[in-house]
Amino acid sequence: MEFDFFTTLLIVCPLVFLGGLVDAIAGGGGLITLPAFLIAGVPAHMALGSNKLASMIGTSVSTFRLWRAGFLKVREALPAVFCAFIGSAVGARIALLVPEEVFRYILIVLLPFAAVVVFRKSSIPAEGEEMDKKKRLAIVAAMSLLCGAYDGFYGPGAGTFMLLSYTILARMGVREASGQMKAVNLSSNLAAFATFALSGEVIWALGLIAGCFSIAGHYIGAGLVLRNGTKIVRPIIAVVLSILFFKTAWELLA
């Protein structure tokens, strides 16, 4: 591998910490962490695999913290977790067949719509609304399948899309939605990581060390969610969507 390991750590670890912080709050940490590995000179496939390892480690911490705080109902989340795992596995396989640019064109249309929804005052409710339990479970499972497929296929912003779909379509409160989103995102990360690990596309030492910084970011980010709710979530989501939009537009024009 043609990159200096120590220099790579100096570049990757601070950005993985920041990505973990963002990811715990609103998802989308992959917008920061994956480019960090690539900028540091890690080969593309190994960057994807190592990033998934670090992300999976950090996500497990924020998921556990939100669960302990009572914002994750494990039994209700299981169908969504299963759907995300299947979706991510399928998405990773589709990625091998479909040019990435096809999905980017779709994404560039969806992002402005998502941003408009986020800026609406009522779009990210602190408290959930009443909804038939079976209907809510069906909506969450369906969106987890779609977002999981996206996570396996492309990745960055998947958690943000999950959070938006849970709060807007399933009418969940932001803290409960954040807890559910982290469990579902953990499942999709696991499926994608397993694919790369089985293919030998993971730098274990780099991924594990970066994972420690991801843990710190996720722990602090989860604490911010517990204390500040929508005051923290809405602006973070807006920033994440903006970055993803401009990043995608730049890649299409390049």
Side-chain angles (χ1 to χ4, degrees):
M1 291 171 208
E2 299 180 358
F3 62 91
D4 181 76
F5 187 75
F6 181 71
T7 303
T8 299
L9 288 177
L10 291 179
I11 296 172
V12 168
C13 291
L15 291 174
V16 166
F17 168 80
L18 179 60
L21 182 73
V22 171
D23 202 58
I25 296 171
L31 293 170
I32 300 170
T33 61
L34 182 55
F37 284 91
L38 295 172
I39 290 170
V42 181
H45 287 151
M46 288 191 172
L48 288 166
S50 303
N51 178 59
K52 281 300 181 184
L53 172 58
S55 297
M56 183 177 64
I57 292 172
T59 302
S60 65
V61 172
S62 55
T63 302
F64 178 74
R65 192 170 186 191
L66 292 173
W67 169 71
R68 287 199 64 181
F71 298 123
L72 170 60
K73 299 175 182 177
V74 177
R75 186 172 296 180
E76 294 182 6
L78 286 178
V81 166
F82 176 76
C83 287
F85 188 91
I86 297 299
S88 183
V90 172
R93 291 185 177 276
I94 293 176
L96 300 175
L97 304 174
V98 179
E100 187 175 313
E101 287 74 15
V102 173
F103 193 83
R104 288 179 182 174
Y105 282 112
I106 299 173
L107 193 62
I108 208 71
V109 174
L110 294 178
L111 286 172
F113 170 76
V116 170
V117 173
V118 169
F119 280 113
R120 290 177 53 197
K121 292 183 178 180
S122 60
S123 60
I124 310 292
E127 303 297 331
E129 299 179 18
E130 291 295 326
M131 176 181 279
D132 179 73
K133 186 176 181 180
K134 291 183 179 180
K135 182 179 179 181
R136 172 173 286 169
L137 288 175
I139 291 173
V140 170
M143 296 310 301
S144 298
L145 180 67
L146 291 174
C147 293
Y150 166 71
D151 196 22
F153 179 79
Y154 188 62
T160 304
F161 294 134
M162 290 178 192
L163 186 63
L164 287 173
S165 65
Y166 297 168
T167 54
I168 297 170
L169 301 180
R171 300 177 187 174
M172 298 173 67
V174 67
R175 295 182 182 181
E176 181 184 358
S178 294
Q180 184 110 325
M181 177 265 286
K182 296 317 302 176
V184 174
N185 203 194
L186 177 60
S187 176
S188 64
N189 279 339
L190 177 60
F193 164 71
T195 301
F196 289 110
L198 291 173
S199 300
E201 299 291 355
V202 175
I203 304 174
W204 289 91
L206 177 60
L208 291 172
I209 294 173
C212 295
F213 285 81
S214 183
I215 287 174
H218 274 270
Y219 185 84
I220 295 172
L224 291 174
V225 171
L226 298 179
R227 289 195 297 270
N228 297 297
T230 56
K231 292 181 180 179
I232 290 293
V233 173
R234 185 183 289 113
I236 289 293
I237 291 179
V239 170
V240 168
L241 290 175
S242 298
I243 293 173
L244 183 54
F245 176 81
F246 287 111
K247 177 178 179 291
T248 304
W250 177 264
E251 289 172 349
L252 288 174
L253 295 173

